[in-house]
Every structure is written in structure tokens, then in C-alpha cells.
Amino acid sequence: MANPLPNEQQIYEKLKSENITIHPLIWELIEHHINNDIYMINLIIGSTVMDGEALSQENAKKILNHVKAINDFLGKLGKLTQPKSKNV
């Protein structure tokens, strides 16, 4: 992980100790949308590496579009599922 939260370990401990779970429908959405975009990014990067070529501008734009799609999805999901106040 590139930049963990300063209190990330405490968050994981709280999730475990309070048995905080995510509804299966939310997991279904997360797995579908994020896994699809990560898969596509992996295909683009993997084929570039395997071919020994530099990343083309076209493929870089495709990757950025998939990253934007992940960000848009997480924003939409967050608006629908986060409580009004964040108490962690």
C-alpha cells in the first residue's frame, strides 16, 4: 500500500472487534466495478511490458479512464452508503 492511513491498524482492529461488515450487495458492486477496471488496467500494462514497448499515449489515456471510472464509482457508492457524519 502506497500511503496507509496513520490510524489504519486501529481501524482494522475496530472492524474486527465490533464485527463491522459490508452488505453483500455493496461487495457485489465493488467486486464488479473495481475488479473490471483493475483487470483492464492489468491487461494494458501487461501487454505493454510483454511486448517490451513504452506505454503509448493511447494506452495511458485508457488507463486514466479506468482510474477515473474507479474514482467515480467509489464517489457514487460513498454518497449512497456513508453516514452524514464520519465517526470512526
Side-chain angles (χ1 to χ4, degrees):
M1 189 172 315
N3 191 14
L5 293 167
N7 63 337
E8 189 162 332
Q9 187 58 41
Q10 290 85 357
I11 293 172
Y12 286 125
E13 290 170 8
K14 185 172 183 169
L15 291 171
K16 184 177 180 180
S17 68
E18 296 183 18
N19 195 29
I20 298 172
T21 61
I22 297 174
H23 193 281
L25 290 175
I26 294 172
W27 271 120
E28 185 176 346
L29 287 170
I30 290 170
E31 288 176 343
H32 175 76
H33 288 282
I34 293 181
N35 284 349
N36 281 346
D37 285 309
I38 290 173
Y39 177 74
M40 291 306 298
I41 292 168
N42 189 50
L43 282 177
I44 295 166
I45 296 295
S47 65
T48 300
V49 169
M50 294 301 289
D51 293 343
E53 298 175 3
L55 185 64
S56 69
Q57 185 175 9
E58 177 186 354
N59 281 342
K61 286 180 183 179
K62 289 178 184 177
I63 290 170
L64 288 175
N65 287 336
H66 287 291
V67 171
K68 182 182 181 318
I70 291 170
N71 192 47
D72 291 348
F73 164 73
L74 290 173
K76 181 178 180 179
L77 185 63
K79 285 180 184 176
L80 292 172
T81 61
Q82 287 182 338
K84 300 299 179 208
S85 64
K86 293 183 181 180
N87 293 332
V88 178

